[in-house]
C-alpha cells in the first residue's frame, strides 16, 4: 500500500515537472499563421484553380464549409424537401479536414461504423474498423454526389461578408470571387481545427530548403500519394518533422520508410496506445446492418462514453476502454461483470449512474489513468530498441491531457536506422537557420522541414473564419461572442435570425466522435427549417432569455478531466493558461454528450408533436 502511494506521488511530481518545462507564458500566441510571409504555404496543392463568373442569385440555404457539417446538413435539408442549397468553401472540393489532410498515413482514430455519416443512406460499407483518409474523403464526395450537393456549390471561394438585410429579411453574402447573392438561411460549419498554424520558432522564415505544413502535403516534392504509394523522391533527402501530435504519429512511420534521413523534433511525446485495426467483413456487416443500425451504434458509443452502465460495447475501442476503466474503478466492477450483467446489475446494486466531476469519479479517473499510462509507457520500452529513445518517448501526463493516439506503426519507426528522435525536453526547437534546425546548440542540417504543428483552436470567431456575421441592428457575431460563446443548444444565436452555428461547444461537445455532433445538429436544422417553410414563417430566432438560460446551464457543467492543473499544456487546455469563464462557456452540456442528446431529442419531439420548439420564435 505504502509503495503504491509513493509511486503515485512520484508520478504526479514527474507530471508537474514536465508540465513546468513545457509551459510557455505566450500561451496560444506562440504560434503563427500561414499568412503574410508564409501565405504561399497555405495554397491548395490538390485542386487547380478554375476561373468562373461571379454568382448573383438567391438560394434558400447557404452553408459556409463543405466538410462533414455542410454535407450532412445539406443531405438532411434535401431529404426535407429544401432543394435550393449552396455550399461555399475555400477548398477546391468537399471533405473539409479530409480534403486538406492528405498527409501519408492519415487515418481516423474513431471507428468508421460511427464516424462516417450517412452510411445507411448511401449504402456504403467501410473497408476497415479505422479507415484511411482517402476513404473518408471519397465518402464525403459520395454524400455530395448522392444528395446533389455539387449543384450551386462554390469552391475555392472565401466568404468576405454575411449581412442580415432587415428590409428583405434575407442574408446577403459576398465572397473574394466577386459573388454577391442572398440566402434565406445561413449556417457556418467551418470546423474546430481548420486554420493551420506554424510554430513561432526564431529564424523560421530564413530556411532556404523546402518546407510545408502537413495539411498542404507536397507530393510533387516527396513522391508517393495519399493512398500509400512510397514517397520515392525522399530517397536522397534529409527530412525534419516538427510535431508529434496525432498527425505526426501517423505520418512519421511513412516518412521513416522512405526518407534518406528523418529527424523527428519532439516537444511533448504523445501517448500512443495499440491500434487494433481489422478489415470489415461484408458478411458480418450484413448481419448487423438492420434498419436504424447506425444510430444504434452511435448511441451505443455515447452510452459507453458516458456515466451510466452500458448494456454492451459495440465499438470496443481505445475511447470506450478509457471510460470502462474509470467506471470499473468507480464501481469496483470488472469487464466481465459489465459485459454480462449490464443494466440488471445496476438495479441489483442499486447504484446511480456515475456523476462526472464528483470526487469519487475523479479519484477513479486518476487511478485508472495512472494504470493506463504506466501500460503505455511500458509498451514503449518493449517496442523501441534504443533505451534512451524509448525513455524520451514516454509521455508524463494524464492520458486525457492531450489527444490520445493509437498506432501500431509509430513506435517501431524509431527502430529504423535512418530515424532519429531529437527530443527538445519540453522546450521546442530553439532556432531555424538557412540550412536546418537547432536544438541544444546543435544544428541539424536538412533539405526539408515538415510542420506537423497543428491548428488554431479556440481563436475568436472572426480570426478563425476570416469573416464575421453582421446580424440585426448591425451587431457583429464576434462582438456577441466577445466574452465567450452564447447560443441556444450550441446552434442558434439571438440577433442572428435564420443563422446556425454548426459546432460542438454548448452542445454534446463530443470530441471522440465529431460527426455525431454534426449529425445531431443537422437533424435540428432540417426540422426547424422545414417547420418554418411549411408554416410560411420568415424568421427563426431564439430569445435572449433562452440563450442566457442555456449559457447558465452550460456553466454548471463539472470541470472537465482535461483541464486538470497537472495537465501538460496543449490546445485542449488553452495551452495551460487557465480555464476562465470564456473557456468554460465552450464546455458541453452538464449531463455530457448523452445528456445533451437526450435533451435535444425530447426538444425536437416536442416540436414535432406541437410545433413548440422551446426558446425559438418563428415569425411571419
Ligand atoms: P497538435 O496540435 O496536436 O500537435 C502539434 C505538434 O507540434 C505537437 O507535438 C506540438 O508540441 C508540436 N510543436 C508545436 N510547436 C512546436 C515547437 N516550437 N517546437 C517543437 N514542436 C512544436 O496537431 P495535430 O495536427 O497533430 O493534431 C490536431 C488534432 O487533429 C488532433 O488533436 C486530433 O483532434 C485531430 N487529428 C486526428 C487524427 C486521427 O483521428 N487519427 C489524426 C490527426 C489529427 P506540444 O505537444 O508540446 O504542443
Amino acid at each position: 500500500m505504502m509503495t503504491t502511494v509513493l509511486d503515485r506521488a512520484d508520478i504526479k511530481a514527474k507530471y508537474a515537472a514536465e508540465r513546468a518545462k513545457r509551459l510557455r507564458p505566450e500561451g496560444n500566441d506562440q504560434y503563427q499563421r500561414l499568412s503574410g510571409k508564409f501565405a504561399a504555404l497555405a495554397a491548395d496543392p490538390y485542386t487547380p484553380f478554375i476561373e468562373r463568373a461571379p454568382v448573383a442569385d438567391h438560394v434558400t440555404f447557404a452553408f459556409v464549409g463543405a466538410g462533414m457539417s455542410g454535407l450532412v446538413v445539406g443531405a438532411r435539408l434535401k431529404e426535407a424537401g429544401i432543394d435550393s442549397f449552396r455550399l461555399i468553401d475555400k477548398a477546391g472540393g468537399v471533405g473539409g479536414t479530409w480534403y486538406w489532410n492528405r498527409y501519408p498515413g492519415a487515418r481516423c482514430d474513431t471507428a468508421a461504423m460511427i464516424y462516417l455519416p450517412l452510411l445507411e443512406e448511401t449504402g456504403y460499407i467501410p473497408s476497415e474498423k479505422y479507415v484511411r483518409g482517402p476513404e473518408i474523403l471519397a465518402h464525403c464526395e459520395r454524400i455530395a454526389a448522392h444528395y446533389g450537393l455539387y449543384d450551386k456549390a462554390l469552391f475555392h471561394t472565401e466568404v468576405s461578408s454575411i449581412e442580415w438585410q432587415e428590409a428583405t429579411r434575407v442574408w446577403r453574402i459576398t465572397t473574394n470571387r466577386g459573388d454577391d447573392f442572398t440566402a434565406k438561411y445561413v449556417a457556418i460549419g467551418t470546423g474546430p481545427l481548420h486554420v493551420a498554424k506554424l510554430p513561432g520558432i526564431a529564424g523560421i522564415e530564413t530556411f532556404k530548403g523546402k518546407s510545408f505544413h502537413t495539411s498542404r502535403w507536397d507530393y510533387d516534392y516527396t513522391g508517393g500519394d495519399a493512398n500509400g504509394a512510397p514517397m520515392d523522391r525522399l530517397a536522397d533527402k534529409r527530412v525534419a518533422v516538427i510535431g508529434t501530435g496525432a498527425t505526426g504519429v501517423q505520418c512519421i512511420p511513412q516518412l521513416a520508410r522512405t526518407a534518406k534521413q528523418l529527424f523527428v523534433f519532439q516537444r511533448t511525446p504523445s501517448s500512443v496506445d495499440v491500434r487494433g485495426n481489422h478489415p470489415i467483413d461484408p458478411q458480418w456487416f450484413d448481419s448487423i446492418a438492420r434498419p436504424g443500425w447506425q444510430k444504434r451504434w452511435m448511441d451505443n458509443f455515447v452510452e459507453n462514453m458516458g456515466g451510466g452502465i452500458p448494456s454492451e460495447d459495440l465499438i470496443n475501442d481505445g475511447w470506450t476502454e478509457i471510460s470502462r476503466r474509470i467506471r470499473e474503478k468507480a464501481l469496483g466492477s470488472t469487464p466481465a461483470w459489465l459485459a454480462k450483467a449490464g443494466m440488471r446489475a445496476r438495479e441489483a446494486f442499486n447504484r446511480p449512474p456515475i456523476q462526472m466531476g464528483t470526487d469519487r469519479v475523479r479519484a477513479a479517473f486518476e487511478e485508472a489513468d495512472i494504470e493506463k499510462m504506466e501500460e503505455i509507457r511500458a509498451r514503449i520500452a518493449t517496442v523501441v530498441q534504443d533505451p534512451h529513445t524509448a525513455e524520451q518517448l514516454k509521455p508524463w501526463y494524464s492520458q486525457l491531457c492531450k489527444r490520445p493516439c493509437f498506432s501500431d506503426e509509430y513506435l517501431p519507426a524509431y527502430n529504423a536506422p535512418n530515424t532519429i528522435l531529437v527530443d527538445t525536453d519540453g522546450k521546442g526547437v530553439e532556432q531555424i537557420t538557412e540550412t536546418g534546425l537547432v536544438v541544444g546548440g546543435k544544428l541539424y542540417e536538412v533539405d526539408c522541414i515538415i510542420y506537423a504543428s497543428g491548428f488554431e483552436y479556440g481563436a475568436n470567431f472572426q480570426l478563425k473564419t476570416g469573416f464575421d456575421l453582421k446580424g440585426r441592428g448591425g451587431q457583429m457575431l464576434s462582438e456577441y461572442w466577445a466574452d465567450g460563446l452564447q447560443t441556444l443548444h450550441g446552434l442558434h444565436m439571438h440577433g442572428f435570425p435564420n443563422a446556425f452555428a454548426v459546432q460542438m461547444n454548448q452542445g454534446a461537445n463530443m470530441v471522440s466522435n465529431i460527426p455525431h455532433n454534426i449529425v445531431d445538429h443537422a437533424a435540428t436544422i432540417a426540422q426547424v427549417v422545414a417547420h418554418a417553410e411549411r408554416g410560411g414563417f420568415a424568421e427563426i430566432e431564439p430569445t435572449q432569455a433562452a440563450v442566457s438560460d442555456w449559457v447558465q446551464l452550460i456553466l454548471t457543467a463539472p470541470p472537465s478531466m482535461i483541464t486538470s492543473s497537472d495537465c501538460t499544456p496543449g490546445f485542449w487546455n488553452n495551452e495551460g493558461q487557465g480555464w476562465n469563464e470564456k473557456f468554460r462557456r465552450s464546455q458541453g452540456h452538464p449531463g455530457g454528450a448523452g445528456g445533451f442528446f437526450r435533451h435535444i431529442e425530447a426538444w425536437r419531439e416536442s416540436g414535432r408533436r406541437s410545433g413548440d420548439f422551446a426558446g425559438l420564435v418563428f415569425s411571419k
Side-chain angles (χ1 to χ4, degrees):
M1 182 66 183
M2 197 60 192
T3 319
T4 314
V5 171
L6 279 178
D7 282 348
R8 183 172 304 172
D10 287 349
I11 287 171
K12 294 203 76 172
K14 175 97 172 135
Y15 286 6
E18 292 294 314
R19 171 187 152 86
K21 274 196 257 175
R22 165 64 179 77
L23 203 56
R24 293 173 69 137
E26 323 91 285
N28 283 307
D29 293 337
Q30 67 182 280
Y31 303 105
Q32 48 195 336
R33 301 184 146 223
L34 276 62
S35 56
K37 52 189 179 232
F38 302 111
L41 296 183
D44 180 354
Y46 311 123
T47 311
F49 187 88
I50 299 167
E51 287 298 342
R52 64 166 176 81
V55 300
D57 54 358
H58 176 80
V59 292
T60 305
F61 203 113
F63 198 106
V64 187
M68 284 193 186
S69 298
L71 293 170
V72 178
V73 169
R76 293 296 187 228
L77 286 170
K78 292 258 171 160
E79 285 171 353
I82 315 294
D83 224 30
S84 172
F85 179 81
R86 166 164 292 148
L87 288 169
I88 310 148
D89 203 300
K90 64 182 178 181
V94 302
T97 201
W98 299 103
Y99 176 90
W100 293 110
N101 287 286
R102 302 189 193 197
Y103 59 83
R107 193 185 282 280
C108 184
D109 284 342
T110 302
M113 299 280 283
I114 55 169
Y115 184 82
L116 295 179
L118 307 175
L119 284 177
E120 281 188 79
E121 290 82 345
T122 55
Y124 183 66
I125 306 176
S127 66
E128 295 175 277
K129 181 166 183 177
Y130 306 101
V131 290
R132 286 170 177 274
E135 187 167 339
I136 304 173
L137 178 57
H139 186 63
C140 291
E141 291 166 350
R142 179 176 301 111
I143 294 170
H146 186 88
Y147 286 97
L149 303 178
Y150 285 116
D151 300 347
K152 295 194 165 84
L154 303 176
F155 295 124
H156 280 155
T157 301
E158 290 181 36
V159 167
S160 312
S161 66
I162 306 186
E163 287 189 26
W164 177 248
Q165 310 294 295
E166 203 68 63
T168 45
R169 300 167 97 184
V170 291
W171 289 96
R172 178 181 170 198
I173 299 150
T174 65
T175 76
N176 68 341
R177 304 284 299 264
D179 307 305
D180 189 346
F181 63 98
T182 55
K184 179 169 177 182
Y185 307 95
V186 292
I188 307 143
T190 45
L193 294 164
H194 81 110
V195 179
K197 68 187 187 199
L198 295 175
I201 300 170
I204 186 170
E205 68 288 348
T206 64
F207 182 62
K208 291 252 187 301
K210 175 77 186 172
S211 57
F212 55 86
H213 188 271
T214 46
S215 65
R216 304 288 189 280
W217 199 272
D218 190 339
Y219 283 106
D220 282 345
Y221 178 83
T222 63
D225 62 29
N227 290 308
M231 293 177 280
D232 50 357
R233 292 185 198 155
L234 294 181
D236 59 352
K237 301 283 190 303
R238 297 159 303 171
V239 178
V241 175
I242 298 184
T244 53
T247 300
V249 163
Q250 293 187 328
C251 68
I252 285 163
Q254 322 303 319
L255 290 164
R257 253 172 233 147
T258 45
K260 176 181 169 201
Q261 176 85 68
L262 178 64
F263 295 104
V264 177
F265 290 85
Q266 170 182 274
R267 189 165 68 177
T268 312
S270 273
S271 74
V272 184
D273 206 353
V274 288
R275 164 76 301 163
N277 200 9
H278 60 75
I280 288 185
D281 171 8
Q283 270 185 338
W284 167 83
F285 183 88
D286 281 350
S287 73
I288 64 109
R290 297 179 301 282
W293 74 264
Q294 196 175 26
K295 177 154 179 15
R296 273 198 305 280
W297 274 58
M298 288 167 81
D299 288 348
N300 179 263
F301 186 65
V302 174
E303 196 190 341
N304 274 275
M305 297 295 287
I309 299 175
S311 45
E312 59 184 327
D313 182 357
L314 293 169
I315 315 302
N316 197 18
D317 66 356
W319 297 108
T320 61
E321 193 215 357
I322 294 172
S323 291
R324 186 166 61 236
R325 280 176 178 255
I326 301 170
R327 211 165 33 231
E328 285 167 21
K329 294 287 177 202
L331 298 178
S333 51
T334 65
W337 181 88
L338 282 173
K340 289 194 188 115
M343 295 302 287
R344 277 175 291 114
R346 186 167 91 199
E347 286 148 24
F349 286 95
N350 196 22
R351 281 175 169 142
I354 302 170
Q355 292 302 310
M356 301 308 276
T358 62
D359 289 346
R360 181 161 66 103
V361 174
R362 290 206 155 259
F365 170 76
E366 194 177 295
E367 207 181 322
D369 183 68
I370 286 182
E371 228 174 70
K372 181 78 222 179
M373 290 305 283
E374 285 288 276
E375 267 176 43
I376 285 175
R377 289 188 281 264
R379 176 173 175 244
I380 298 169
T382 63
V383 176
V384 177
Q385 287 153 7
D386 174 48
H388 182 61
T389 304
E391 207 47 44
Q392 291 179 323
L393 285 167
K394 289 185 181 168
W396 290 100
Y397 47 81
S398 296
Q399 194 182 18
L400 292 185
C401 288
K402 290 180 94 66
R403 167 64 152 70
C405 296
F406 307 92
S407 171
D408 298 332
E409 296 174 281
Y410 178 67
L411 297 172
Y414 291 98
N415 293 333
N418 66 337
T419 302
I420 310 271
L421 178 70
V422 183
D423 182 51
T424 66
D425 199 23
K427 297 185 193 71
V429 173
E430 280 159 38
Q431 200 191 340
I432 294 182
T433 69
E434 287 187 5
T435 57
L437 305 89
V438 179
V439 172
K442 179 175 171 186
L443 174 67
Y444 296 82
E445 294 209 315
V446 295
D447 302 297
C448 171
I449 302 177
I450 298 173
Y451 295 105
S453 44
F455 303 85
E456 292 206 10
Y457 189 71
N460 86 40
F461 170 74
Q462 188 192 0
L463 267 178
K464 205 156 139 173
T465 53
F467 62 90
D468 211 343
L469 247 70
K470 192 187 255 187
R472 231 188 256 295
Q475 189 183 21
M476 307 306 285
L477 187 56
S478 55
E479 290 164 10
Y480 185 61
W481 283 350
D483 297 329
L485 210 60
Q486 44 175 341
T487 68
L488 173 65
H489 303 157
L491 191 60
H492 318 271
M493 293 78 65
H494 178 71
F496 299 84
N498 297 354
F500 307 94
V502 182
Q503 48 89 46
M504 304 186 294
N505 301 152
Q506 296 195 355
N509 219 14
M510 189 158 189
V511 289
S512 48
N513 188 17
I514 290 176
H516 196 151
N517 304 269
I518 294 167
V519 167
D520 187 80
H521 277 329
T524 300
I525 293 173
Q527 193 183 344
V528 299
V529 167
H531 178 77
E533 292 299 292
R534 267 196 312 272
F537 294 104
E539 291 174 20
I540 309 170
E541 188 181 350
T543 64
Q544 183 56 38
V547 168
S548 301
D549 287 351
W550 188 255
V551 172
Q552 287 313 308
L553 177 78
I554 296 299
L555 289 174
T556 66
S560 152
M561 305 294 185
I562 64 178
T563 59
S564 155
S565 58
D566 57 6
C567 263
T568 186
F571 78 87
W572 268 18
N573 56 27
N574 189 24
E575 286 291 332
Q577 301 298 305
W579 206 248
N580 54 25
E581 181 174 322
K582 188 167 177 176
F583 283 91
R584 283 177 49 226
R585 284 196 190 194
S586 298
Q587 295 179 149
H589 189 275
F596 177 76
F597 291 136
R598 278 191 297 279
H599 170 85
I600 205 72
E601 278 181 17
W603 183 88
R604 284 198 295 258
E605 185 51 32
S606 143
R608 210 170 353 254
R609 277 201 318 269
S610 60
D612 176 22
F613 296 90
L616 279 192
V617 176
F618 292 75
S619 45
K620 297 242 174 176

